[in-house]
Amino acid sequence: MKKETAEEKKQRASAVLRILKKTYPKAGMMLRYSNHIELLFSVMMSAQCTDKKVNEVTTKLFKKYRTLGDYLRAKPKEFEKDIYQTGFYRMKTRHILATAEILDTKFHGRVPRTMEELVTLPGVARKTANIVLGNAFNIVEGIAVDTHVNRLTTLLHFTKEKNTDRIEKDLMKLFPRGEWFTLTYRLIEHGRAICIANRPKCNICPLRTLCPSSRAII
């Protein structure tokens, strides 16, 4: 099989995008929140955890911690118990409570609106920042690369990189800026529904003719 040119890859990416848009027209954020601080903390808790589990935890958590002041007064050991089910609860507790302090002292109790400021918060990298900026402020700086996006774009041969920031740069070159925000959610939906890790449903995958890793019999 001959090596794909940059232009051919871009054309294939466009075809993949068209199918994803048609297949998952309503793909979007699944985390539940009522304000920007809850959004930020939900995304921080979602690391290495499903959105469904995070929503189960935050249903109780956000009733207990209603304001930034509640997080500032939180006792770490108690907070660890509150978010225990999301995994990595000690690290997440440190990051969330430290972030609450920074939001209070440096950002006047508000979630910052820029990538540069967001990534200074403990535990916040570009993935989290992209999700918060897009959902809270309709600001699109890049493409949020979670585990699904990482895995699927590697299988599609859209990137060979392992570092998420480099993967993001590769994808930003392939897809138009206006599609960056929703691309993440369409890939996540596809990863959950069809391209499931270790048991992909290649024979019914709408991308099977465009995916170099497809196991489908065509």
Side-chain angles (χ1 to χ4, degrees), residues 36-157:
H36 295 166
I37 290 174
E38 289 183 357
L39 167 62
L40 173 59
F41 291 166
S42 289
V43 180
M44 292 172 73
M45 277 183 270
S46 72
Q48 304 299 314
C49 183
T50 66
D51 289 353
K52 180 181 179 182
K53 178 56 67 177
V54 172
N55 285 336
E56 290 174 7
V57 170
T58 57
T59 295
K60 294 180 180 179
L61 189 78
F62 292 157
K63 290 178 181 177
K64 183 175 181 179
Y65 301 90
R66 294 180 180 275
T67 68
L68 183 61
D70 292 329
Y71 291 94
L72 296 174
R73 291 185 290 272
K75 297 177 181 178
K77 289 296 182 184
E78 184 177 348
F79 197 82
E80 286 177 3
K81 292 179 182 178
D82 291 332
I83 68 167
Y84 174 81
Q85 290 180 297
T86 68
F88 300 95
Y89 58 94
R90 289 193 180 93
M91 178 184 67
K92 291 177 182 179
T93 293
R94 288 197 302 272
H95 288 165
I96 290 171
L97 298 187
T99 291
E101 290 281 353
I102 294 170
L103 294 182
D104 181 56
T105 58
K106 186 175 180 181
F107 296 110
H108 310 290
R110 297 179 180 178
V111 174
R113 299 173 62 104
T114 70
M115 174 67 71
E116 292 73 21
E117 291 172 320
L118 278 167
V119 295
T120 66
L121 300 173
V124 175
R126 283 189 62 92
K127 183 202 84 170
T128 295
N130 275 319
I131 293 172
V132 171
L133 287 173
N135 285 283
F137 308 114
N138 293 315
I139 295 172
V140 179
E141 291 284 342
I143 298 171
V145 178
D146 79 335
T147 53
H148 287 290
V149 176
N150 185 334
R151 181 170 58 82
L152 268 64
T153 55
T154 298
L155 289 170
L156 285 162
H157 291 195

Side-chain angles (χ1 to χ4, degrees), residues 108-211:
H108 310 290
R110 297 179 180 178
V111 174
R113 299 173 62 104
T114 70
M115 174 67 71
E116 292 73 21
E117 291 172 320
L118 278 167
V119 295
T120 66
L121 300 173
V124 175
R126 283 189 62 92
K127 183 202 84 170
T128 295
N130 275 319
I131 293 172
V132 171
L133 287 173
N135 285 283
F137 308 114
N138 293 315
I139 295 172
V140 179
E141 291 284 342
I143 298 171
V145 178
D146 79 335
T147 53
H148 287 290
V149 176
N150 185 334
R151 181 170 58 82
L152 268 64
T153 55
T154 298
L155 289 170
L156 285 162
H157 291 195
F158 288 154
T159 183
K160 293 180 180 179
E161 299 291 348
K162 303 298 181 185
N163 175 276
T164 54
D165 288 355
R166 291 176 181 171
I167 292 171
E168 181 185 5
K169 287 180 180 178
D170 282 347
L171 300 181
M172 288 164 68
K173 294 174 186 175
L174 284 176
F175 296 95
R177 190 184 187 99
E179 304 290 348
W180 289 356
F181 177 64
T182 53
L183 175 64
T184 292
Y185 298 109
R186 298 189 204 283
L187 287 169
I188 289 172
E189 286 292 309
H190 190 64
R192 288 172 175 159
I194 302 293
C195 194
I196 305 164
N198 300 322
R199 49 189 177 89
K201 304 176 183 178
C202 294
N203 283 328
I204 62 169
C205 179
L207 302 178
R208 61 189 178 276
T209 61
L210 296 166
C211 178

Side-chain angles (χ1 to χ4, degrees), residues 8-25:
E8 287 170 338
K9 182 183 288 187
K10 197 157 189 175
Q11 290 175 359
R12 187 165 59 85
S14 295
V16 165
L17 179 61
R18 285 195 298 272
I19 293 171
L20 289 175
K21 290 175 72 172
K22 183 178 180 180
T23 309
Y24 310 103

